[in-house]
């Protein structure tokens, strides 16, 4: 669970839910482009079309690279679906970064539609600018570059989460804290598991790659978990007492 989400914050504050550990350090969200947009891909015959694109501040001069097919005088930014908190934040960011006149704020109909749009562009070697987050299969499957934004500022963040604020200020998104959520009753009944859950720590790049492989193979989660345990004992053994880790290893 993401401990920064309002519903989770309230449940934890009320003592109904416990957030155990920080299981994926470096989880992030922001605006991304395929690596070949900036660096090209010689193997696929793709030349870099935005070689100096580094930050959101550079986007206005590259609007033609991300041309919107319905409004060709503007670029297209793939936002989250309407109704998501991130859609509000991204819409406010477009204002804060002075991009409303140069980019169409395109809202996909669903998370799956966003995935499909991005994947389609990448398969065809086309430029695409989009919002995304990690850990996710998409970031494990493709070489992507996250555009730089101003350092996180709590006061500026408030202006981005408020859709009615007419003068939002740009900032990187609030860093997610991902934890294993358990009920208060569960924590009392299973203290040994609570101790394990507190130690869980997935390296972000490895997790993205694992999720990407799982997606490509249409793999059952149980099968993917077993494969992970067999291939990466250096990760999960640190979560367990040595004697327990030895038993798990022997059972695989």
């Amino acid at each position: 669970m993401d401990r920064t989400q309002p519903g989770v914050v309230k449940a934890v504050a009320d003592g109904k839910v416990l957030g155990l550990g920080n299981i994926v350090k470096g989880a992030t969200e922001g605006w991304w482009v395929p690596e070949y947009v900036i660096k090209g891909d010689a193997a696929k015959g793709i030349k870099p079309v935005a070689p100096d694109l580094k930050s959101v501040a550079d986007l206005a001069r590259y609007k033609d690279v991300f041309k919107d097919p319905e409004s060709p005088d503007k670029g297209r930014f793939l936002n989250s679906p309407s109704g998501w908190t991130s859609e509000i934040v991204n819409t406010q960011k477009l204002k804060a970064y002075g991009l409303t006149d140069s980019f169409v704020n395109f809202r996909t109909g669903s998370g799956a539609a966003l995935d499909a749009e991005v994947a389609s562009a990448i398969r065809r070697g086309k430029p695409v600018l989009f919002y995304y987050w990690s850990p996710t299969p998409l970031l494990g499957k493709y070489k992507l570059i996250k555009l730089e934004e101003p350092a996180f500022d709590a006061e500026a963040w408030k202006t981005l989460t408020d859709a009615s604020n007419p003068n939002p200020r740009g900032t990187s998104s609030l860093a997610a804290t991902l934890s294993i959520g358990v009920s208060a009753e569960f924590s009392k009944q299973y203290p040994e598991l609570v101790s394990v859950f507190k130690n869980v720590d997935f390296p972000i790049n490895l997790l993205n790659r694992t999720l990407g492989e799982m997606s490509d193979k249409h793999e059952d989660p149980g099968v993917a978990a077993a494969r992970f345990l067999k291939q990466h004992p250096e990760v999960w053994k640190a979560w367990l007492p040595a004697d327990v880790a030895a038993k798990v290893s022997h059972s695989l």
Side-chain angles (χ1 to χ4, degrees), residues 15 65 92 181:
V65 168
Q92 290 291 82

Side-chain angles (χ1 to χ4, degrees), residues 5-24:
Q5 294 301 308
V8 175
V9 171
K10 185 177 187 307
V12 171
D14 291 344
K16 297 178 180 179
V17 171
L18 280 74
L20 305 177
N22 183 6
I23 64 174
V24 188

Side-chain angles (χ1 to χ4, degrees), residues 27-242:
T28 186
E29 61 182 290
W31 294 9
W32 305 75
V33 298
E35 182 183 79
Y36 57 73
V37 169
I38 297 172
K39 298 182 179 181
D41 187 336
K44 295 181 179 179
I46 301 174
K47 295 182 179 180
V49 289
D52 297 320
L53 176 59
K54 294 181 179 180
S55 78
V56 293
D58 302 320
L59 282 171
R61 60 193 174 102
Y62 284 117
K63 67 174 185 176
D64 291 340
V65 168
F66 305 102
K67 188 174 295 185
D68 186 284
E70 298 172 9
S71 300
D73 59 324
K74 294 184 178 182
R76 172 176 284 193
F77 168 68
L78 295 181
N79 200 341
S80 306
S82 296
W84 289 21
T85 300
S86 53
E87 184 273 328
I88 295 173
V89 170
N90 289 323
T91 296
Q92 290 291 82
K93 281 187 176 184
L94 284 168
K95 298 176 187 175
Y97 297 141
L99 296 172
T100 54
D101 291 334
S102 50
F103 278 84
V104 171
N105 185 11
F106 187 87
R107 300 164 179 85
T108 52
S110 65
L114 175 60
D115 287 358
E117 187 103 12
V118 172
S120 174
I122 292 175
R123 282 196 301 270
R124 293 178 290 119
K126 300 297 184 182
V128 59
L129 169 67
F130 59 99
Y131 162 80
Y132 220 77
W133 63 98
S134 68
T136 45
L138 192 84
L139 266 67
K141 293 166 69 172
Y142 304 115
K143 293 181 179 180
L144 306 171
I145 292 178
K146 183 172 177 284
L147 299 183
E148 297 173 3
E149 295 183 72
F152 178 74
D153 180 294
E155 291 304 311
W157 179 249
K158 292 177 183 178
T159 72
L160 297 179
T161 57
D162 179 5
S164 64
N165 191 305
N167 299 301
R169 293 190 287 123
T171 175
S172 295
S173 294
L174 177 66
T177 300
L178 303 180
S179 301
I180 296 174
V182 301
S183 67
E185 187 61 30
F186 181 100
S187 70
K188 294 176 183 177
Q189 291 185 19
Y190 305 103
E192 297 88 355
L193 285 176
V194 167
S195 295
V196 172
F197 291 162
K198 287 180 178 179
N199 292 332
V200 172
D201 185 0
F202 290 99
I204 183 66
N205 291 332
L206 174 59
L207 181 55
N208 281 332
R209 290 197 303 272
T210 301
L211 292 172
E213 291 175 14
M214 181 178 167
S215 174
D216 282 342
K217 297 176 180 178
H218 304 287
E219 202 167 36
D220 178 83
V223 173
R227 176 167 54 83
F228 181 89
L229 291 173
K230 291 177 181 178
Q231 294 180 353
H232 300 287
E234 77 285 358
V235 174
W236 60 263
K237 281 187 175 182
W239 309 342
L240 303 170

